[in-house]
Amino acid sequence: MQNSKVNMKWNIDAQPIFFPLEIRKTYEKIYKKNRLDFGNWIGKISVGHKQNIDWWLTKPTLRNPYNSNLLNYCSVLETLDKLKINKVQIITSSEEMGSIIFNYFNKRFNLEVKVKNNTISYFRRTTGILKSLIFHTFMFLYIKVFIKKKKIELNKNYTLIDTFITPNVKLNRGFYPNLKRIIKDNTFFVPTFTHTFNFPGLINALKNSNNNFLFKEHYLSFFDYIYGYFHFFRRKKFLNKKYIYKKFNISELVCAEINDFSNCNSTVIGILNYRFFKKLELSNLKIRKSINWFENQFKDRGWNLGYRKYFKRYEKNSFGYQNFTRHYNLISFSPSVPESVAKITPNKIIVISKYFKKIAKEFNKKQIVVLGPTNRFENFVSNKIKKLKREKILLILSGIIQIDEALIRIVKKTCDINKKITIFLKDHPILPLDKIIKKSSLPKNLIQTNENLETLLNKCLITIISGPTSVIKESQNMNNIILLPNIEIGTEINAKRLKLNRKYYHIVGSEIEILQTINLIKNKKLKLNKNRNKIIFFENVTSKNIKVFL
């Protein structure tokens, strides 16, 4: 796909910070508009699939730019349509996108499309499904054989709370506030086991949990699991349609995502959650309230549609708890109108800050939003600054691989340019550094640390952070000066959402700007102000707001 020499290169799979400046400005305006337009388009192509769980467990419907490239690619096509340039080289890992760009724009300007070889082998896809099947089979048999099924009284009304079990016992205790003092014998936690082959760790975490569990595995049969995996055959019926976004035929892209296996395990969990509520209804149980840990992922869609379909009498008591900060690019965390109509989202959303209520209603003005408590951030008010003379610089990763790769790339260059500067690196618990980059490839002045995050923040003058992470608020609370690399769209919007003090954060667009800002901060010798974080941002636990879980 080649015409002639090019004078502008655009890797459309990279983060926007690496786009040519002229392109980024146009792309940013289009992307911001498409956040709403794309969701409405999902609604149009979902006509006829209103409550079809198989459809809503396909990747194109996710509205999550960290899982699906569709929003990005649609914005790229519109950007190319607006650009006034003569020559451009497009770099992408998608053969489908490369083909669409060439067909639409080859006659428009001198165009070269370079497709990187990034295909996932058939063996790798098959291995992913096999690993998921082995994991679910083991956990299914373990629960069936070694854990006694709870006796449920048919004349009682029950509340079910969606939760997780990971090998990390501390993490398991952080999803909800401490509910022990208010919990009643008619409230059960329904655990989803995180996909890992650390079976001893999972079993140990299960044994060390004091929660009152109701296990899905006791109600599901092996046939339900087979039905879950047969989703990958049933979804092929969605490949026979044309998918037009505005004036662009993106059928190839949509079909490629429908056929994608990267969310295999999450997809199966979504089906199992859906079938779980069907089995509860068949058992004549009365589930008067559902609380879903709501991120609008596949597992959540199965949970919410299952509850709202099979327990229609109580569907107004369908809640989604969001015990986290709200990020501009986690678009799907705010339900859309089509999703609400399809009942794959909760009837009510519980947010942990009054500043998040409007955000939760961004794409559906009629969405019911209520305030609920959190204890994840209770130390934000109580923490004391232990060390006022600070010099360290800390890079904190987000746990989102696309963002963390970009962060490391920029900070590596920063350390290469100035060998005298030392930057410490703290990875995320869910995404260890070795999953992103080999430690041996880091510059000597970019040093990984395993020290406790709170301790690190107390030693730091400057933190470098990006992406959907609550550490931005924690860093603000510890009175660090925050550098926010402008990696993705919406960096400034995120800072405003989190009510950051404009004096103490800087948005930087390159490694040179990082170095200039660090020098500016150190030369000014900014003093830490103990009193600048007086705003009460999160809802702390009270005897009143904790009742939302009853």
Side-chain angles (χ1 to χ4, degrees):
M1 300 178 185
Q2 188 169 324
N3 271 335
S4 65
K5 264 187 158 182
V6 298
N7 60 3
M8 186 179 287
K9 290 184 179 181
W10 183 13
N11 184 344
I12 61 173
D13 296 326
Q15 291 300 310
I17 194 170
F18 303 119
F19 291 179
L21 187 59
E22 178 186 349
I23 287 176
R24 173 159 184 165
K25 287 179 180 177
T26 304
Y27 174 91
E28 187 156 346
K29 290 177 184 176
I30 291 168
Y31 180 92
K32 287 179 177 178
K33 184 175 183 299
N34 274 343
R35 291 169 80 254
L36 177 61
D37 291 352
F38 185 77
N40 292 336
W41 176 74
I42 293 295
K44 289 178 183 177
I45 66 172
S46 299
V47 172
H49 308 311
K50 185 178 176 183
Q51 291 187 11
N52 185 333
I53 188 62
D54 283 322
W55 168 250
W56 290 107
L57 299 189
T58 61
K59 199 172 178 179
T61 67
L62 272 174
R63 292 193 305 123
N64 186 334
Y66 300 121
N67 287 325
S68 166
N69 262 326
L70 276 184
L71 174 57
N72 170 42
Y73 284 162
C74 289
S75 300
V76 166
L77 290 170
E78 288 191 77
T79 301
L80 285 169
D81 200 37
K82 296 276 187 185
L83 287 178
K84 295 178 180 179
I85 53 176
N86 295 320
K87 301 177 183 179
V88 65
Q89 181 190 62
I90 299 295
I91 302 166
T92 178
S93 60
S94 168
E95 288 186 16
E96 296 82 9
M97 184 60 174
S99 174
I100 291 169
I101 289 174
F102 192 80
N103 290 337
Y104 274 100
F105 299 103
N106 183 43
K107 295 179 181 178
R108 178 88 167 265
F109 36 68
N110 284 335
L111 174 69
E112 179 184 346
V113 179
K114 183 178 179 181
V115 179
K116 298 184 293 182
N117 184 16
N118 196 30
T119 55
I120 299 173
S121 68
Y122 175 78
F123 173 77
R124 192 171 158 194
R125 283 183 299 176
T126 307
T127 303
I129 294 175
L130 185 60
K131 285 180 177 178
S132 174
L133 184 59
I134 292 170
F135 170 77
H136 282 295
T137 301
F138 178 88
M139 294 311 304
F140 175 75
L141 293 174
Y142 178 84
I143 299 299
K144 287 280 193 183
V145 174
F146 294 105
I147 297 182
K148 188 178 180 181
K149 184 178 179 180
K150 275 192 169 59
K151 290 183 179 180
I152 307 295
E153 297 177 34
L154 298 182
N155 61 342
K156 271 190 176 183
N157 289 323
Y158 291 94
T159 296
L160 298 187
I161 302 177
D162 173 35
T163 191
F164 304 90
I165 293 179
T166 77
N168 186 332
V169 176
K170 184 178 178 182
L171 180 64
N172 297 342
R173 293 170 182 157
F175 294 111
Y176 294 90
N178 186 354
L179 303 177
K180 288 180 187 176
R181 59 191 174 87
I182 67 155
I183 214 81
K184 297 180 180 179
D185 61 0
N186 66 337
T187 300
F188 294 109
F189 288 87
V190 180
T192 293
F193 296 96
T194 56
H195 188 199
T196 174
F197 283 102
N198 181 7
F199 293 122
L202 279 179
I203 293 167
N204 180 62
L206 179 57
K207 289 178 179 178
N208 281 285
S209 174
N210 295 320
N211 284 337
N212 192 23
F213 287 131
L214 186 74
F215 293 97
K216 290 177 277 190
E217 291 79 1
H218 283 146
Y219 291 87
L220 297 170
S221 68
F222 203 69
F223 173 79
D224 293 308
Y225 286 81
I226 294 171
Y227 183 84
Y229 284 97
F230 265 75
H231 160 85
F232 303 108
F233 296 99
R234 295 193 301 273
R235 70 184 183 180
K236 291 186 181 295
K237 61 179 173 285
F238 305 127
L239 300 175
N240 301 322
K241 287 181 63 179
K242 269 191 176 181
Y243 298 98
I244 311 295
Y245 184 78
K246 297 183 180 179
K247 67 179 183 179
F248 299 102
N249 185 341
I250 60 168
S251 300
E252 289 180 78
L253 284 174
V254 175
C255 290
E257 289 214 346
I258 288 172
N259 271 327
D260 183 79
F261 282 87
S262 60
N263 290 312
C264 164
N265 195 64
S266 179
T267 304
V268 173
I269 293 171
I271 296 284
L272 294 177
N273 281 346
Y274 177 78
R275 302 280 291 187
F276 170 61
F277 281 103
K278 181 178 181 180
K279 291 299 181 72
L280 292 179
E281 194 265 343
L282 290 173
S283 299
N284 295 316
L285 297 182
K286 296 177 182 177
I287 312 300
R288 69 166 184 86
K289 190 171 187 178
S290 154
I291 298 174
N292 167 231
W293 175 274
F294 181 65
E295 297 177 0
N296 208 356
Q297 296 188 32
F298 289 157
K299 71 156 197 74
D300 305 311
R301 293 176 169 196
W303 176 285
N304 291 308
L305 181 56
Y307 179 72
R308 298 185 70 179
K309 179 177 180 178
Y310 293 110
F311 293 89
K312 287 183 180 179
R313 179 181 173 186
Y314 302 107
E315 70 167 308
K316 289 186 177 179
N317 293 331
S318 165
F319 288 80
Y321 182 51
Q322 297 189 321
N323 193 9
F324 37 74
T325 55
R326 297 301 306 267
H327 185 74
Y328 184 73
N329 283 307
L330 284 172
I331 301 165
S332 56
F333 283 21
S334 299
S336 67
V337 172
E339 290 165 353
S340 180
V341 170
K343 300 187 177 182
I344 59 170
T345 55
N347 182 57
K348 300 178 180 72
I349 302 293
I350 306 169
V351 296
I352 57 171
S353 171
K354 63 184 178 182
Y355 300 105
F356 296 158
K357 291 185 79 171
K358 186 177 179 180
I359 297 168
K361 301 173 75 163
E362 182 178 1
F363 304 110
N364 181 4
K365 303 305 178 188
K366 294 182 179 179
Q367 176 65 56
I368 302 170
V369 182
V370 298
L371 275 176
T374 179
N375 61 354
R376 287 185 69 193
F377 307 99
E378 61 187 4
N379 63 332
F380 278 18
V381 176
S382 60
N383 275 349
K384 294 182 179 179
I385 307 302
K386 297 175 183 177
K387 190 173 182 179
L388 293 180
K389 289 186 178 180
R390 308 185 196 181
E391 296 180 351
K392 284 189 175 183
I393 304 169
L394 179 65
L395 167 64
I396 307 172
L397 302 185
S398 68
I400 302 291
I401 192 163
Q402 303 97 312
I403 304 300
D404 290 348
E405 285 176 340
L407 273 171
I408 291 172
R409 176 178 165 184
I410 295 166
V411 176
K412 269 185 70 179
K413 286 185 179 180
T414 303
C415 291
D416 285 335
I417 293 169
N418 187 344
K419 304 286 187 184
K420 294 181 180 179
I421 197 171
T422 299
I423 297 177
F424 294 89
L425 184 157
K426 178 70 175 174
D427 61 4
H428 195 281
I430 67 168
L431 186 63
L433 183 64
D434 59 10
K435 298 286 185 184
I436 308 168
I437 191 172
K438 289 182 179 178
K439 191 176 176 180
S440 58
S441 67
L442 295 177
K444 290 183 179 178
N445 52 338
L446 181 55
I447 303 168
Q448 184 183 11
T449 174
N450 293 318
E451 201 169 352
N452 175 273
L453 182 60
E454 186 178 327
T455 305
L456 283 169
L457 293 177
N458 251 312
K459 296 177 180 178
C460 288
L461 173 65
I462 298 168
T463 54
I464 304 171
I465 317 171
S466 186
T469 170
S470 60
V471 172
I472 295 175
K473 281 300 289 182
E474 190 163 353
S475 184
Q476 179 203 30
N477 183 68
M478 300 300 282
N479 288 352
N480 306 123
I481 299 168
I482 305 170
L483 302 193
L484 299 171
N486 198 15
I487 287 174
E488 45 184 353
I489 307 302
T491 305
E492 181 70 52
I493 295 171
N494 280 324
K496 290 177 179 177
R497 282 184 171 189
L498 296 174
K499 305 298 178 187
L500 300 186
N501 188 324
R502 193 63 189 88
K503 292 181 181 179
Y504 296 99
Y505 76 86
H506 302 263
I507 295 175
V508 289
S510 66
E511 54 274 5
I512 298 298
E513 287 186 19
I514 290 176
L515 284 172
Q516 289 173 343
T517 307
I518 289 172
N519 289 333
L520 179 69
I521 292 167
K522 290 194 171 184
N523 289 337
K524 280 188 174 182
K525 296 181 180 178
L526 291 177
K527 293 181 180 179
L528 297 173
N529 181 357
K530 292 183 183 181
N531 300 314
R532 72 170 186 260
N533 287 327
K534 287 294 185 182
I535 186 171
I536 297 175
F537 193 85
F538 296 104
E539 294 293 310
N540 292 319
V541 179
T542 66
S543 57
K544 183 178 179 181
N545 63 24
I546 197 75
K547 290 178 181 178
V548 73
F549 296 104
L550 292 177

